[in-house]
Amino acid sequence: MEVRSYYASTLEAAMALARRELGPEALLIQSQRTAPEWIHLGKYEAVFAGEVLAQPAKPAAAPSFPIPKPANPKATPVDLVGRSDFRDRLRASSPSRRAPTPEPVPSISCDPGLGRKGFATTVALVGPAGAGKTTTAMKIALRRGLLESRTVRLIAFDPYRIGATRQMQHFADLFNLSFTDCELIAQLQTALAGGEAALTLIDTPGFSSNQADEREQLAACLRLFPEVESQLVLRLDRKPADNLVAVEQFSSFAASRLILTALDETLELADVPALVARANKPVSFLGTGQRLLEDIESANPQRMNEVVLHGWPKAASAAA
Ligand SMILES: Nc1nc2c(ncn2[C@@H]2O[C@H](COP(=O)(O)OP(=O)(O)O)[C@@H](O)[C@H]2O)c(=O)[nH]1
Ligand SMILES: [Mg+2]
């Protein structure tokens, strides 16, 4: 696993360079305008993590990540987290730094929490395929785990797609996190019964509509563990009707919060209040892009108000 910076005159070009060298599974950790001392390399920097492909299409035009690489590659993540610009950008992107807007929307309840009271924080991310469960788990692991110096444990359960858990495995390797890959419900049960961390995140598969039995089996397994809180992940660029169906389909998980992703991919957000009302649970987090570091926000009513009224990214610029 390598962490590399790619520089180019546009962000898209920097990302294309990274994908060519690290492949489509590479994780975008951070993107930004290049710091003045590196500006000669390109106006934009994209920091990616991934495996260098055996035969890149072209020799790397990109320099390696501009921090000294330790002899032990496992130490790289610590350096990444310790990088001052990594932390500064996180603070700068924190919603709490943004000017509050006066008009709350009482109809959208928000509760940006994790886990159940009285238990070690253990959260299962459930929802349809492609909703952003895996990405959000990694974002939460970074923001609410590593950067708050909490021990993090990742559990991935996805027996249905070959290689489905590989991306999370890469992520865990990169940041030296405990990772358990479960292919059977029994393995998941054993994993939940043992092991401890301040924050445990369980990534689950996106069941198709003909996998109701498998879905119910997983829900029943999670119910055996009172410490597990399920959060339902829904993608806002889906048809509103499909999200309403998903709310019903995943009802046996008794999710206590909603995570809404892909805010950045749609301007049509007028249905969000109705969706949240139907789900009858507060919104905890908003996914606003693919970048693991910056593209997650804690939900709050004012922010939801802006987003519903002005869409994204208008709301973002209004709040910045
Ligand atoms: N634009 C955008 N893409 C996202 C967001 N969250 C996840 N994605 C992307 O959506 C795709 C599916 O996400 P993934 O986490 O694998 O979904 P899962 O099947 O629910 O685990 C990936 O390409 C992610 O990078 C988001 O908030 N905005
Ligand atoms: Mg996934």
Side-chain angles (χ1 to χ4, degrees):
M1 174 68 65
E2 291 274 337
V3 178
R4 293 188 173 197
S5 278
Y6 294 83
Y7 299 89
S9 55
T10 65
L11 198 50
E12 291 71 25
M15 289 171 71
L17 276 173
R19 299 275 186 216
R20 197 161 64 201
E21 190 174 88
L22 299 178
E25 288 197 351
L27 295 168
L28 174 59
I29 304 285
Q30 190 177 18
S31 66
Q32 58 199 330
R33 289 180 85 92
T34 306
E37 65 268 36
W38 299 97
I39 198 77
H40 59 285
L41 297 171
K43 211 161 142 195
Y44 290 92
E45 176 192 14
V47 182
F48 271 81
E51 300 292 352
V52 179
L53 297 179
Q55 299 217 313
K58 271 195 175 177
S64 356
F65 196 64
I67 52 171
K69 276 246 162 89
N72 170 9
K74 290 265 180 201
T76 305
V78 178
D79 287 349
L80 180 61
V81 173
R83 248 176 67 153
S84 61
D85 64 322
F86 184 90
R87 286 179 186 277
D88 289 348
R89 282 184 68 78
L90 184 82
R91 284 194 204 102
S93 69
S94 163
S96 62
R97 295 238 152 182
R98 293 175 171 157
T101 40
E103 292 278 326
V105 172
S107 56
I108 300 184
S109 72
C110 297
D111 178 11
L114 290 168
R116 292 192 189 287
K117 277 209 174 86
F119 293 102
T121 309
T122 310
V123 177
L125 298 169
V126 304
K133 299 179 294 298
T134 305
T135 309
T136 305
M138 294 189 287
K139 288 174 178 178
I140 292 173
L142 270 183
R143 190 179 275 265
R144 289 295 185 90
L146 254 80
L147 289 164
E148 292 180 8
S149 304
R150 299 162 90 189
T151 51
V152 180
R153 183 172 182 227
L154 300 172
I155 299 177
F157 171 73
D158 195 340
Y160 312 117
R161 276 188 308 155
I162 294 167
T165 56
R166 214 168 42 213
Q167 195 181 44
M168 188 161 265
Q169 169 87 68
H170 283 171
F171 176 80
D173 287 349
L174 177 62
F175 290 102
N176 278 334
L177 304 180
S178 157
F179 175 73
T180 311
D181 188 4
C182 305
E183 287 184 6
L184 303 169
I185 286 278
Q187 289 173 337
L188 176 62
Q189 224 164 302
T190 309
L192 285 171
E196 268 188 26
L199 172 63
T200 300
L201 296 164
I202 307 159
D203 191 25
T204 68
F207 301 95
S208 60
S209 44
N210 61 1
Q211 284 181 306
D213 288 350
E214 290 88 340
R215 196 177 60 224
E216 295 313 305
Q217 249 190 329
L218 175 62
C221 168
L222 295 179
R223 279 199 298 272
L224 296 174
F225 297 89
E227 71 272 29
V228 176
E229 182 214 15
S230 291
Q231 297 210 13
L232 177 62
V233 184
L234 296 175
R235 210 184 151 95
L236 291 179
D237 60 353
R238 287 246 165 99
K239 286 193 209 119
D242 291 343
N243 277 335
L244 291 176
V245 169
V247 167
E248 298 307 321
Q249 281 180 337
F250 286 85
S251 58
S252 52
F253 287 88
S256 39
R257 295 180 179 98
L258 269 185
I259 295 173
L260 302 175
T261 68
L263 222 70
D264 52 308
E265 295 283 4
T266 179
L267 291 173
E268 192 42 73
L269 294 161
D271 293 300
V272 173
L275 175 65
V276 177
R278 175 72 79 87
N280 195 23
K281 5 186 159 285
V283 182
S284 56
F285 298 99
L286 303 172
T288 58
Q290 299 197 37
R291 297 172 304 178
L292 299 183
L293 179 61
E294 291 122 323
D295 293 340
I296 182 165
E297 289 187 16
S298 297
N300 70 65
Q302 291 91 334
R303 185 80 181 126
M304 294 306 300
N305 185 6
E306 288 165 20
V307 164
V308 172
L309 287 176
H310 305 299
W312 181 272
K314 241 181 160 181
S317 50

